[in-house]
Amino acid sequence: MSEHHQLADQARASCLAEPACLERLLALLDRYCAAHAVDAQCRHDLRLVVEEACANVIAHAYPADAPGLMSLQVESTRCDGRPAMRITIEDAGIPFDPLALPVPVRTGPVEHLPIGGLGVHLIRRLSDLQRYEHDLERGNVLTLTKFLAPASPASRTS
Amino acid sequence: MEIEITERDAVTVVAIKGSVDSLNADELTSAFAKPIKAGRVRMVADFSAVTYTSSAGLRSLLATVKDCRRGGGDLRIAALQPQVERVLSISGFTGIIKIFPDREGAVGSFKAVA
């Protein structure tokens, strides 16, 4: 179990779990990362894990003709004493733990390789901590933590 | 995302610019599918201007490389940027798809076996 200490600010957005929602959620993440001077590689990785997690919700959480709400929360935090970004994605759809999916096979003849399952693999590899819970009030709650590189001495003193 | 398709002898070059994500990957898959349907199964995906790909882009590449090889050809990738190469490597794609430093090398690799 990791210890989180929430810092001052967070950003949150909710919308219907539809493809058009994804751009809005990614824009929220981009603005938050820019405001917190997150370095380019962490921004890339955070964008990718948020896209993958949100795309899963959009595709699978609700019936296609009846999308429900989903939300994204981004917060600057400290986890085990290290600066980190914590991403929380919630939906009230079908209970589903994406972290229970097996790691996709990537060896053997290309003809036999499955096309799916890569998104969760990337989430696991490009974030540092992952946690799923199903809450009776909040529904599916996926929490992803990405450690940030420590600030350089120059930026700490500026 | 912008896609430009050109023919280089027996090789179809698909040059992609921008980000490949879950919102536009179907467009990329369709662009790859058109030459394959016409029997042109030697393809190069020029990634020199691709700054980001998610798993949606990887699925498009995997489906296309399967189709090309099934038809006796191949899909080869040219000029990966570091972040994109990292995503392909993490996903095991660098052991599946042949990757070249530049477009000329990827196109020329087909001539070498022709």
Side-chain angles (χ1 to χ4, degrees), chain A:
Chain A
M1 180 70 73
S2 297
E3 186 179 355
H4 278 272
H5 296 282
Q6 185 179 317
L7 299 183
D9 60 332
Q10 57 185 234
R12 184 182 176 92
S14 297
C15 52
L16 278 179
E18 297 176 322
C21 171
L22 185 56
E23 281 189 68
R24 184 178 158 204
L25 298 179
L26 290 173
L28 174 89
L29 175 71
D30 285 343
R31 284 195 303 273
Y32 193 88
C33 286
H36 289 75
V38 176
D39 69 75
Q41 180 154 319
C42 280
R43 284 168 76 163
H44 169 273
D45 293 355
L46 286 166
R47 184 181 176 86
L48 207 152
V49 300
V50 167
E51 182 195 327
E52 300 295 352
C54 290
N56 277 344
V57 171
I58 291 167
H60 302 299
Y62 298 101
D65 57 350
L69 286 175
M70 66 179 296
S71 69
L72 168 69
Q73 180 171 300
V74 189
E75 58 193 309
S76 175
T77 186
R78 292 191 76 82
C79 180
D80 295 337
R82 299 170 61 184
M85 296 284 279
R86 185 164 56 177
I87 304 292
T88 307
I89 294 161
E90 297 181 17
D91 69 82
I94 302 162
F96 176 67
D97 178 3
L99 304 176
L101 290 175
V103 175
V105 174
R106 284 288 167 259
T107 55
V110 69
E111 296 78 16
H112 299 148
L113 298 181
I115 288 184
L118 287 167
V120 174
H121 176 64
L122 288 170
I123 288 172
R124 286 195 186 100
R125 292 294 304 270
L126 296 178
S127 61
D128 294 298
L129 301 170
Q130 307 87 29
R131 189 182 72 214
Y132 167 83
E133 59 185 318
H134 187 262
D135 182 277
L136 286 178
E137 289 187 4
R138 297 162 70 193
N140 293 304
V141 182
L142 181 64
T143 306
L144 308 170
T145 301
K146 175 84 176 169
F147 291 122
L148 303 178
S152 67
S155 64
R156 278 201 297 267
T157 57
S158 61

Side-chain angles (χ1 to χ4, degrees), chain B residues 7 12 15 29-30 36 41 48 65 76 79 94 101 108:
Chain B
E7 304 293 345
T12 301
T29 303
S30 297
I36 294 172
V41 290
S48 59
V65 77
R76 297 173 183 176
T94 48

Side-chain angles (χ1 to χ4, degrees), chain B residues 10 12 33-42 71:
Chain B
T12 301
K34 285 177 188 170
I36 294 172
K37 281 180 185 168
R40 299 183 64 88
V41 290
R42 292 180 168 189

